[in-house]
Amino acid sequence: MYSSSPSRKASKGSVQVKTSNGRLQLVFSYQGKRRYISLGFDDTVQNRKLADLKARQIELDILSGNFDATLLKYRPSSAEVAKPLTPVPTPTPTVYPSLAELWEKYTNFKRPGLSPSTLAKDFNKVSRCINLRLPTKSLKDSVAIRDWLVANKTPNAVKRYLTQFSACCDWATKSQLIPHNPFKGMAADIKVPKGDLEETDINPFSLEERDLIIQAFRSDRYYGVYAPFIEFLFMTGCRPSEAVALQWQYISEDFRSIRFEQAVVVSESGLVCKKGLKTQRKRTFPVNSQLAALLSSIKPEVVTSDMKVFPSPEGTWIDVHNLTNRAWRSVLSKLDGIEYRKLYQARHTFITAALETAITMPDGRIKMLDAKDVAKLVGTSPKMIYEHYAGKSRELFVPEF
């Protein structure tokens, strides 16, 4: 057999591959005479493979009696010398931006349409989480990022962060910065435990506290624009998402009724308005004189059917999460003696007051609304009213039979 090791002594009848001045050559003995064939190839891994093939051919020809003593058969052709084998270059893998880099680009893209407060608080909060908290910023580790959030944040916070990450990566995909969104659909998989739902966290304001809060919003230098929205929540008991989605087409021209038919919810692409309510397709709410006066005072002289009743200062949907963390928290912090409670307590305040306050009927009769009446007004079940409100809000007496 031939040998390609330059340091090993060739056995009888074998062909060695050696190097001379950086070029490969074949060395062997035939009929007692030392033979040399210069291949003209540079000493590379690929070229040594070609030299080994030629060495094997010579050995086989010697054994079979077909050896070409002129050596012409074994010398490399001009094509082989002109085109020596070279290694195939390994493609350079594509390096994609990290989540931190994408979030910075996404923030700069959104910056012209963001209010200073949204930029300073919401976007910077996400940026701090990415840069200072996450164990990795690589998009290939999206599952690890999700698992870290689940282990270290509340379900609500996990859902918000994943929603923001997905919105950022959706933008990056459309901008051809990355091939796909690795966070797509993750937020939808995060379920908020029932114990965290605001429907069952009931700690209503008194009517006196309610009036103080409304008045504080009206007189607030920065957040007075939200006063009608806050008053509307207290006066209807509707969910904040239903009030945000309300358009003038759903309020009768004589201000006698309101139709709740849609809600604004958070999606991976931001705030979106969807048809239907949480527990029903739609409901009609009767308007009393106080509520009619409020709606009349804020209705523009010229309206279109799709105009928002309570637009944000920028004319978009109100972001309830942002409003709660800024306006609601700020105004309530200035009211001495009023314990801080979430905005959703405006709904609980209305339901509790509706159960406890007698109303005068058109015929002069005094009536207390029962659980079925109140449930119909606010779009929940009588069972919910009985379990969470009626039993706590009323003092029971044994009637005399």
Side-chain angles (χ1 to χ4, degrees):
M1 292 296 292
Y2 66 85
S3 171
S4 61
S5 172
S7 61
R8 179 182 172 187
K9 184 177 180 181
S11 60
K12 186 176 180 179
S14 68
V15 180
Q16 274 191 307
V17 178
K18 291 189 174 184
T19 303
S20 176
N21 297 322
R23 298 295 182 92
L24 296 175
Q25 65 176 192
L26 303 179
V27 181
F28 61 98
S29 294
Y30 179 70
Q31 294 181 347
K33 185 178 179 180
R34 197 71 167 166
R35 305 292 182 106
Y36 297 88
I37 300 177
S38 179
L39 298 177
F41 297 159
D42 291 333
D43 188 3
T44 66
V45 174
Q46 293 294 329
N47 287 342
R48 272 190 174 266
K49 291 180 179 180
L50 182 60
D52 287 345
L53 291 175
K54 289 187 175 293
R56 181 173 177 79
Q57 182 184 9
I58 293 173
E59 289 183 347
L60 291 175
D61 284 357
I62 291 174
L63 291 174
S64 64
N66 295 314
F67 179 72
D68 180 6
T70 68
L71 304 182
L72 292 176
K73 180 179 179 180
Y74 311 116
R75 298 189 187 280
S77 66
S78 58
E80 289 176 317
V81 175
K83 297 180 180 179
L85 295 176
T86 56
V88 177
T90 303
T92 303
T94 303
V95 179
Y96 295 110
S98 68
L99 180 58
E101 293 169 322
L102 288 182
W103 184 256
E104 182 179 1
K105 293 177 183 294
Y106 178 63
T107 300
N108 290 334
F109 174 80
K110 300 281 287 185
R111 191 184 302 274
L114 298 175
S115 67
S117 57
T118 298
L119 183 63
K121 293 188 177 180
D122 289 351
F123 275 66
N124 286 352
K125 183 178 181 180
V126 174
S127 180
R128 286 194 299 273
C129 177
I130 294 173
N131 290 291
L132 303 178
R133 299 285 187 270
L134 294 184
T136 174
K137 302 169 184 61
S138 174
L139 295 183
K140 66 181 179 61
D141 297 328
S142 58
V143 173
I145 291 173
R146 179 204 61 192
D147 292 346
W148 184 90
L149 289 172
V150 169
N152 293 275
K153 301 290 184 180
T154 65
N156 277 322
V158 174
K159 203 174 188 72
R160 288 197 301 273
Y161 278 122
L162 290 178
T163 297
Q164 293 278 30
F165 294 167
S166 183
C168 171
C169 289
D170 265 345
W171 168 83
T173 302
K174 294 174 183 175
S175 301
Q176 299 182 349
L177 298 175
I178 56 176
H180 69 280
N181 177 3
F183 294 97
K184 193 171 188 64
M186 284 190 179
D189 293 335
I190 303 301
K191 305 301 180 185
V192 179
K194 290 187 179 296
D196 292 349
L197 295 178
E198 294 173 307
E199 290 280 1
T200 55
D201 176 24
I202 300 171
N203 185 15
F205 296 98
S206 68
L207 295 184
E208 292 75 16
E209 289 175 327
R210 174 200 68 181
D211 294 342
L212 287 172
I213 293 170
I214 293 172
Q215 184 55 46
F217 265 94
R218 287 175 180 167
S219 58
D220 192 90
R221 175 181 177 185
Y222 300 103
Y223 300 117
V225 65
Y226 295 111
F229 178 74
I230 300 299
E231 186 174 358
F232 184 85
L233 294 178
F234 275 117
M235 295 180 69
T236 62
C238 71
R239 299 178 180 87
S241 59
E242 297 169 349
V244 171
L246 190 61
Q247 296 169 308
W248 285 108
Q249 62 181 315
Y250 299 117
I251 299 177
S252 63
E253 292 187 6
D254 58 4
F255 299 114
R256 298 191 64 177
S257 66
I258 299 171
R259 300 192 324 274
F260 291 107
E261 297 187 8
Q262 56 191 22
V264 167
V265 298
V266 178
S267 74
E268 291 189 348
S269 58
L271 296 177
V272 296
C273 186
K274 69 174 187 67
K275 286 292 184 182
L277 308 177
K278 182 176 181 179
T279 58
Q280 58 193 159
R281 189 168 63 86
K282 61 181 179 179
R283 74 174 181 277
T284 300
F285 187 90
V287 176
N288 61 20
S289 59
Q290 289 175 296
L291 184 54
L294 169 65
L295 295 173
S296 177
S297 69
I298 63 173
K299 185 174 183 179
E301 291 185 8
V302 178
V303 298
T304 57
S305 61
D306 61 349
M307 282 182 64
K308 303 174 182 65
V309 177
F310 303 107
S312 71
E314 296 82 15
T316 58
W317 303 115
I318 290 176
D319 187 326
V320 174
H321 174 71
N322 290 344
L323 182 148
T324 299
N325 287 338
R326 298 172 196 163
W328 179 257
R329 190 176 294 276
S330 173
V331 171
L332 263 66
S333 68
K334 301 172 187 175
L335 295 173
D336 294 334
I338 297 182
E339 174 193 354
Y340 177 82
R341 278 154 279 181
K342 293 182 179 179
L343 178 63
Y344 208 87
Q345 295 298 336
R347 174 174 170 82
H348 300 319
T349 300
F350 174 88
I351 295 174
T352 302
L355 290 169
E356 294 179 343
T357 306
I359 60 173
T360 302
M361 303 297 289
D363 60 4
R365 289 183 299 115
I366 303 298
K367 178 184 177 181
M368 299 290 292
L369 295 178
D370 63 22
K372 295 190 295 295
D373 296 327
V374 177
K376 187 174 181 180
L377 285 174
V378 298
T380 191
S381 67
K383 181 176 181 289
M384 172 68 76
I385 299 296
Y386 280 122
E387 288 183 353
H388 298 284
Y389 298 93
K392 299 178 181 179
S393 63
R394 291 182 179 177
E395 186 177 359
L396 300 178
F397 299 94
V398 176
E400 295 186 12
F401 299 101

